[in-house]
Amino acid sequence: MLLIVSFDLQISMALARKARGLHVYSQIVPYSIRKEELEALKPKGIILSGYPDPKVSSNVSDVFDREIFDLGIPVAGVNCGLPDFTYPNYIMGSCEGDKELSHFLFDTCGFPGNWTTENFIARSLREIKSEIGNNRAICGLSGGVDSSVASVLVQKVIGNRLTCIFVDTGLLRKNEASDVKLIFGEGFKMNLRIVDAKARFLQTLKGVTDPEEKRKRIGSEFIKVFEDEVIKLEGNTDFLVQGTLYSDVLESTSGTGIGETRVKSHHNVGGLPDNIRFKLIEPLRYLFKDEVREVGEKLGIPGHVLKRHPFPGPGLGVRIVGEVNQESLDIVREANAIVEEEIGNAGLYNELWQAFAVLLNVRSVGVTSGMRTYERPIVIRAVNSSDGMTCNWAELPHSVLEKISSRITYEVQGVNRVVYDITSKPPGTIEWE
């Protein structure tokens, strides 16, 4: 593999994707990685990527292990402003073009350039078989792209020994449960159990307003539901399949590999309890979203499933700013359905990375039928992205925005104002929480 020692996540992500586009498997590690840890990964090449942010860490030179340069592995730097470091090879000015990167990867490092979707699937199937063996596994199937691809991949190896558990948390999109039953229970003939846990999740989120606490409570409650359901299954189940993506892992990890979360905890990464009893199977852990869709296509998953917009693991719980309750869920679910429907009617759904509604915990004065109202606003968020790590806000046609606003304020009780989020990532994130 190519190891990218990251001093700046955004630059490292762009570089990793360029390398993979050249059929070279790349992986990002924090700049605090020690020589022994790096050597154990057996990379064929190393790239130091980005400038350290002095606001985040002022002791980069102390943390960075210079003995990495003594391993005899080709090293290069990209956009790397560390003047007191000496590179065994050369410094590339940027990662904008492929010429210098190709030279480093193929001429200097000797990569064969054979990392493909087919090879990934073949290797994953071998690893799943080796890890699970003749045992049973469960999968938290949400109906989204990631869990769908992960479950189909594992089912190919262990068949009916995989039980897919769809947890109706009450935090899902409109008609989610019936769609999952139709697509996976009837279509893919999966061993599917649907669990109604709406009351449990509402109770665990009662009074919680902090976004990190929400994510952690949701992750913890998921595991409790799984454990309760496993007791009802025949035979022992020791494995839990998750659709964790590389972006989830990177956003849930400290920039230095030390200390606090970098951006936010994803419910299936930083949100899991420490005492989880299952061994995790995460076949997509080092793939980006577009790569997951490519794998899904090769596995025969229908396009209408693979092209669904990303939906956060904590669901509508992180699209309600403030406490989650039934009233807020009803509002944001209906508003979100209108956004998706009108985006689809306009022929824009497949052109966008994501489009959704967020409910704020503030109120504003409005007027309906000549009467004063004091209700909540809905924020419309629509973005373009390739991997979810960065994004640009989408310039939706005014006619589409007008239709969405008109429908939400007329059809959704409790909303009297609609606003449009024109923030890119960074400095914002795609989701509001």
Side-chain angles (χ1 to χ4, degrees), residues 83-99:
D84 58 332
F85 289 5
T86 302
Y87 304 111
N89 296 98
Y90 60 93
I91 299 178
M92 291 179 270
S94 71
C95 57
E96 292 302 316
D98 292 341
K99 187 175 180 180

Side-chain angles (χ1 to χ4, degrees), residues 193-265:
R193 297 173 68 96
I194 296 180
V195 182
D196 185 346
K198 292 190 284 288
R200 290 181 62 163
F201 279 85
L202 271 179
Q203 181 60 36
T204 198
L205 291 170
K206 188 175 181 179
V208 180
T209 59
D210 179 71
E212 276 292 285
E213 183 65 19
K214 283 184 189 179
R215 289 175 175 272
K216 289 178 180 179
R217 288 199 181 200
I218 290 169
S220 178
E221 194 64 29
F222 259 107
I223 298 302
K224 291 176 184 177
V225 172
F226 287 139
E227 289 176 337
D228 291 345
E229 291 304 309
V230 165
I231 295 173
K232 304 173 186 177
L233 301 178
E234 295 181 5
N236 294 325
T237 302
D238 298 320
F239 296 91
L240 171 60
V241 179
Q242 291 199 140
T244 307
L245 300 190
Y246 203 20
S247 54
D248 300 338
V249 175
L250 292 171
E251 284 197 329
S252 296
T253 306
S254 160
T256 63
I258 305 169
E260 297 299 317
T261 296
R262 183 197 301 273
V263 180
K264 58 189 175 185
S265 293

Side-chain angles (χ1 to χ4, degrees), residues 367-372:
V367 59
T368 300
S369 301
M371 300 294 291
R372 178 186 185 275

Side-chain angles (χ1 to χ4, degrees), residues 413-427:
Q413 188 174 359
V415 177
N416 65 357
R417 193 178 297 270
V418 174
V419 298
Y420 190 55
D421 184 348
I422 58 169
T423 311
S424 295
K425 177 184 180 181

Side-chain angles (χ1 to χ4, degrees), residues 125-137 154 157-159 161-162 239 279 281:
L125 294 177
R126 291 195 301 269
E127 290 175 350
I128 292 167
K129 184 175 182 179
S130 172
E131 197 158 7
I132 298 181
N134 295 320
N135 296 307
R136 295 177 176 272
V154 174
V157 179
I158 69 173
R161 286 186 285 118
L162 172 68
F239 296 91
K279 185 173 182 181
I281 301 293

Side-chain angles (χ1 to χ4, degrees), residues 117 121 149 291-303 306:
T117 302
I121 292 173
V149 174
E291 294 170 330
V292 172
R293 289 192 169 108
E294 291 174 10
V295 170
E297 187 177 359
K298 295 290 183 184
L299 293 174
I301 298 176
L306 296 176

